[in-house]
Amino acid sequence: MTDLWQRARGRTAQAWPCLPLLAAGLIGTGPAAVFQPRAARPLDALAYALVIVAALAPAGRRRPGAALAVNGAAVAAYLAAGYPYGPILLTVPVAIYAVAAARPAGRAAVLVAANFGVLVVALFARTVQADGTASEVASDTLLWAAIALVALAAGVSVRVRREAVTGMRDAHARRVASEERLRMAQDLHDSIGHGLAAIAMQAGVALHVLDRDPDGARHALEAVRATSREALDGLRAELQRLRGDEPARHAPAPGLDALDGLAERVRAAGIQVSVTVEPGLRLAGAVDAAAFRIVREALTNVLRHAGAATARVTVTRDGPDLLVEVTDSGVGAAPAPATGLGIRGMRALAERHGGRLEAGPLPGGGFAVRARMPAEVTA
């Protein structure tokens, strides 16, 4: 019963736009006949039945080709029978527009041409019955050809515009999805990559001192355990975000106040790190988190590539800008610094907050990452 009710509601929703055509046909056909005394056949029940069929045919919007065929057959029968011209003719451009708006232009043109051919034959038959002339047939044919072309062009333009809007919407959705995947990849690279790099270095330290310094090895393994737990927490948070869990379940993004803990993990991996943060920086929350991520990724590169013994982190305020600098005493270069994912991610992060980032080897050896961002900008 529910399905029947839903189908009935759907058909009613499709039919109601045709009610003005139906009303015009039923009300206006009689008065229109008064001014056409040359009509070969007076109005009767069949004429009004054809008016009703032609008016309601465009309601079949799910199958506009069939609707056009039904409308064309009803109008052609009306004309061929010799009934007077009337509002039934208004249904023709409506049916043509519907099929042009719903079907590809080529297919719509074929359907409209076939429908137009049937109407031309009906017009010829009507003219013969009314003792009309060839010039009347020609003028009527040209008039309806122009009407059909206008209705066809209007429907095609609506379809093209609708497809363009749909294409833009789909392209925007794909771009948003791609940007979200890139953001997730960058977040995983920044957080999990740092953790894995620190774990690898800490494990190497533990193996190196295991025989001669068991306490040092124990300390390094404890650092491995702490770092691995933090990396797992970060991975779990990213997976929750990927599944679409509520943002409230995620821990807040770490900021510069977490630099001490970050430095301790790097020190446990065997690299001496000094951290200098100017007090009273008054940073926007997004800038604070971005600065921490830049420092974390720069130190991750130190762990992976630099072969350095020391690293220095400096965060200061320069007027309206925040300056972040990470230098090391390593070999002075990282693999593919201009195109590496880490440096590209740091540069994109700085640019996202209205800043810029430079990275490269130092003249006297070592490597430097320098970022400048507006301190008060909000992402």
Side-chain angles (χ1 to χ4, degrees), residues 307-376:
T310 62
R312 180 177 180 82
V313 178
T314 305
V315 183
T316 59
R317 184 77 178 260
D318 182 16
D321 294 337
L322 176 72
L323 303 182
V324 179
E325 183 178 68
V326 180
T327 59
D328 65 68
S329 60
V331 297
T339 58
L341 180 60
I343 291 179
R344 278 191 299 171
M346 288 188 291
R347 181 172 289 114
L349 187 60
E351 292 174 351
R352 190 185 311 160
H353 293 81
R356 63 181 186 274
L357 182 137
E358 298 176 353
L362 295 171
F367 198 83
V369 174
R370 298 184 179 93
R372 176 185 289 268
M373 297 180 292
E376 300 297 335

Side-chain angles (χ1 to χ4, degrees), residues 186-281:
Q186 189 63 54
D187 288 347
L188 286 173
H189 176 272
D190 291 349
S191 59
I192 309 305
H194 168 79
L196 294 178
I199 288 171
M201 291 291 294
Q202 291 159 354
V205 171
L207 289 174
H208 183 68
V209 301
L210 180 61
D211 294 330
R212 66 176 184 272
D213 188 3
D215 290 338
R218 185 190 306 275
H219 178 72
L221 291 175
E222 289 175 351
V224 168
R225 181 175 61 181
T227 304
S228 62
R229 285 177 176 175
E230 183 176 347
L232 286 174
D233 290 340
L235 178 60
R236 187 178 298 111
E238 289 300 323
L239 291 177
Q240 287 176 346
R241 187 182 307 176
L242 184 62
R243 289 194 297 264
D245 290 353
E246 292 296 326
R249 298 186 182 183
H250 307 313
L256 293 177
D257 55 354
L259 283 184
D260 290 338
L262 176 65
E264 285 299 325
R265 291 194 297 273
V266 177
R267 293 187 189 108
I271 297 176
Q272 294 301 315
V273 181
S274 63
V275 178
T276 303
V277 179
E278 180 181 327
L281 290 175

Side-chain angles (χ1 to χ4, degrees), residues 77-345:
Y78 182 94
L79 294 175
Y83 292 120
Y85 291 127
I88 190 174
L89 300 178
L90 298 176
T91 64
V92 175
V94 174
I96 292 175
Y97 169 84
V99 75
R103 294 289 181 263
R107 184 177 178 183
V110 171
L111 294 174
V112 171
N115 181 74
F116 180 73
V118 173
L119 292 179
V120 169
V121 173
L123 284 171
F124 179 78
R126 183 185 186 282
T127 303
V128 170
Q129 293 182 57
D131 297 327
T133 63
S135 61
E136 291 180 357
V137 175
S139 62
D140 290 344
T141 301
L142 291 176
L143 174 62
W144 282 103
I147 293 174
L149 287 175
V150 170
L152 178 64
V156 169
S157 65
V158 168
R159 176 178 173 82
V160 170
R161 183 166 62 249
R162 183 170 60 240
E163 290 178 345
V165 171
T166 302
M168 292 176 61
R169 188 183 300 114
D170 292 343
H172 176 70
R174 289 193 298 269
R175 184 171 62 253
V176 169
S178 177
E179 291 174 353
E180 181 65 10
R181 287 194 296 268
L182 289 175
R183 184 197 61 77
M184 289 182 176
Q186 189 63 54
D187 288 347
L188 286 173
H189 176 272
D190 291 349
S191 59
I192 309 305
H194 168 79
L196 294 178
I199 288 171
M201 291 291 294
Q202 291 159 354
V205 171
L207 289 174
H208 183 68
V209 301
L210 180 61
D211 294 330
R212 66 176 184 272
D213 188 3
D215 290 338
R218 185 190 306 275
H219 178 72
L221 291 175
E222 289 175 351
V224 168
R225 181 175 61 181
T227 304
S228 62
R229 285 177 176 175
E230 183 176 347
L232 286 174
D233 290 340
L235 178 60
R236 187 178 298 111
E238 289 300 323
L239 291 177
Q240 287 176 346
R241 187 182 307 176
L242 184 62
R243 289 194 297 264
D245 290 353
E246 292 296 326
R249 298 186 182 183
H250 307 313
L256 293 177
D257 55 354
L259 283 184
D260 290 338
L262 176 65
E264 285 299 325
R265 291 194 297 273
V266 177
R267 293 187 189 108
I271 297 176
Q272 294 301 315
V273 181
S274 63
V275 178
T276 303
V277 179
E278 180 181 327
L281 290 175
R282 301 185 307 278
L283 303 177
V287 177
D288 189 36
F292 174 81
R293 290 180 59 180
I294 290 173
V295 173
R296 181 176 62 188
E297 180 57 32
L299 291 178
T300 301
N301 285 342
V302 173
L303 289 172
R304 288 175 173 172
H305 310 302
T310 62
R312 180 177 180 82
V313 178
T314 305
V315 183
T316 59
R317 184 77 178 260
D318 182 16
D321 294 337
L322 176 72
L323 303 182
V324 179
E325 183 178 68
V326 180
T327 59
D328 65 68
S329 60
V331 297
T339 58
L341 180 60
I343 291 179
R344 278 191 299 171

